[in-house]
Amino acid sequence: METVLNTSEQELIIFDYTHFLSLLCHQKWTFIDFIQSLVPSFEMNIKSNISSPISPAEKLHKEALKVLSSSASDTQNIIRLLFLSRNEDIQGLVLLLPFALEPEQVKLIERKGKCKIEKQNDNGERLLITLE
């Protein structure tokens, strides 16, 4: 997965959702993984108090593999990704998508994810998300 930490004026994580979906489809699930996917906030709350020497980008990637699901909608996954980002004190995220989101999806993500979304290219497959 191409998760990159960009050190510009504002630190941004580049999250390749296309590659991530591919990883999710090839992931083997255990019973514990299934239970954790049903109650993702429970695991996030427990683990958020544990400090770790890995970068916020790496932590986000690891947590996303545990919490996001190929059976959930893209909108739900992105909202969960924003929640995970907040837990890692990430202020901005560049999200690379395999397709453009519908305007209704963007509005729902902005409202529920408490963020601002800007298209970074004409086709809407690269989004700059700023967490409020």
Side-chain angles (χ1 to χ4, degrees), residues 17-127:
Y17 189 69
T18 305
H19 183 71
F20 187 79
L21 287 175
S22 173
L23 289 176
L24 282 179
C25 290
H26 292 80
Q27 185 177 13
K28 293 184 180 182
W29 285 73
T30 65
F31 179 73
I32 298 293
D33 293 331
F34 175 72
I35 296 300
Q36 289 173 341
S37 73
L38 293 177
V39 190
S41 60
F42 177 71
E43 182 186 2
M44 286 187 300
N45 289 336
I46 290 173
K47 291 193 173 189
S48 65
N49 294 329
I50 301 171
S51 62
S52 175
I54 63 175
S55 74
E58 292 169 322
K59 283 197 259 184
L60 179 62
H61 178 255
K62 282 185 172 188
E63 290 302 312
L65 276 172
K66 294 176 186 174
V67 174
L68 304 188
S69 169
S70 58
S71 63
S73 72
D74 294 318
T75 304
Q76 278 302 114
N77 276 337
I78 294 169
I79 292 168
R80 288 177 182 171
L81 180 65
L82 297 177
F83 183 78
L84 291 170
S85 298
R86 271 196 188 80
N87 281 350
E88 298 304 327
D89 294 322
I90 295 169
Q91 302 299 312
L93 190 69
V94 174
L95 186 62
L96 307 177
L97 298 166
F99 48 79
L101 297 174
E102 296 294 323
E104 299 81 32
Q105 289 176 295
V106 172
K107 288 177 188 174
L108 181 63
I109 293 167
E110 284 180 322
R111 186 171 44 85
K112 289 193 172 187
K114 298 176 184 165
C115 66
K116 180 182 176 193
I117 299 177
E118 299 173 41
K119 291 182 183 177
Q120 283 199 314
N121 59 5
D122 292 336
N123 59 12
E125 294 174 359
R126 183 180 173 106
L127 302 176

